[in-house]
Amino acid sequence: MTTTTDRRHLVGASLGLAIGLVALVTGALVLREHGPGNMWAGYLAGASLALLAAGVAFWRTWRRPAQATTAERAFTASADERDRAILHRAAATLGGVALPLTGAAAVLLALGVEPAPVIGTLLWTELVVFVAAFAVANRKL
Amino acid sequence: MRNEIRRLREENGLSQAALADALGVSRQTVNSIETGRYDPSLPLAFAIARHFGTTIEEIFHDDDH
């Protein structure tokens, strides 16, 4: 039997994935016209993977809620209070680290270092910090 | 904070998954609360107490007192 909560989850998931798909195609088209080199292809690959992961997470939290992970629940609007606490801790850690990292990146750019690797390293470092903080909080809580 | 949830759950013949389902949280959340790693919010603590037909004070105990 499909409940109101199920339907709401399905509508939310479909809407989120549709918005993600529009952002994916629009971003790739804009980058292909105006971006440097083959950045659009990298964007397309990365964003497609992220969208696919989101689709799998939505499907698992909808059809297999008992087997869904904390991360899957946290990123598909089906989190309970512990999931949200973990997400908040990870976001707070990222926020605390992002400020000095961005400051360091700004100093490097001011010193004339090539921007692309600086920005790339900054983004990857922030991603790693967030994932690590999420994993640690998930073990602790 | 210590609590009596595992004892109450087992006395009522409930699995962690069944209790989680009744409370509207994940099985991992019930496990974390039982092992003292996560302290529930006041609304969830009330829901737990209501589920077992008792009071919050009967379930949760302050470590320092």
Side-chain angles (χ1 to χ4, degrees):
Chain A
M1 191 178 73
T2 307
T3 65
T4 307
T5 312
D6 285 340
R7 271 198 295 276
R8 202 174 298 153
H9 186 80
L10 198 59
V11 168
S14 306
L15 197 64
L17 290 175
I19 291 170
L21 194 63
V22 169
L24 173 92
V25 173
T26 309
L29 288 175
V30 168
L31 282 173
R32 198 174 66 170
E33 291 301 313
H34 306 288
N38 62 351
M39 186 181 178
W40 70 274
Y43 169 85
L44 196 61
S48 298
L49 270 178
L51 202 60
L52 183 69
V56 171
F58 274 125
W59 187 84
R60 278 171 55 85
T61 51
W62 179 44
R63 303 300 295 176
R64 305 259 189 281
Q67 287 153 32
T69 63
T70 303
E72 285 170 335
R73 287 190 302 272
F75 289 103
T76 53
S78 48
D80 66 11
E81 62 175 57
R82 174 181 167 272
D83 301 329
R84 280 193 293 274
I86 291 168
L87 189 59
H88 288 167
R89 274 197 191 191
T93 305
L94 174 62
V97 170
L99 207 58
L101 277 180
T102 310
V107 170
L108 288 174
L109 293 178
L111 292 173
V113 178
E114 193 71 23
V118 173
I119 301 297
T121 306
L122 178 65
L123 281 173
W124 278 107
T125 307
E126 288 179 349
L127 186 65
V128 168
V129 165
F130 180 76
V131 170
F134 193 95
V136 169
N138 194 27
R139 280 189 69 84
K140 279 189 172 176
L141 284 184
Chain B
M1 192 158 55
R2 289 174 298 111
N3 65 72
E4 306 294 326
I5 296 174
R6 185 183 297 267
R7 180 182 62 76
L8 288 165
R9 177 176 62 76
E10 287 174 353
E11 280 175 6
N12 283 269
L14 288 170
S15 66
Q16 285 186 340
L19 179 59
D21 204 35
L23 296 171
V25 296
S26 68
R27 188 194 55 77
Q28 291 95 324
T29 296
V30 170
N31 183 264
S32 288
I33 296 171
E34 281 188 0
T35 51
R37 282 182 288 135
Y38 176 69
D39 293 332
S41 67
L42 204 48
L44 181 55
F46 271 115
I48 294 167
R50 208 174 298 124
H51 182 82
F52 290 117
T54 183
T55 61
I56 287 179
E57 290 87 344
E58 292 294 325
I59 298 179
F60 296 96
H61 312 290
D62 190 345
D63 281 332
D64 300 328
H65 296 93

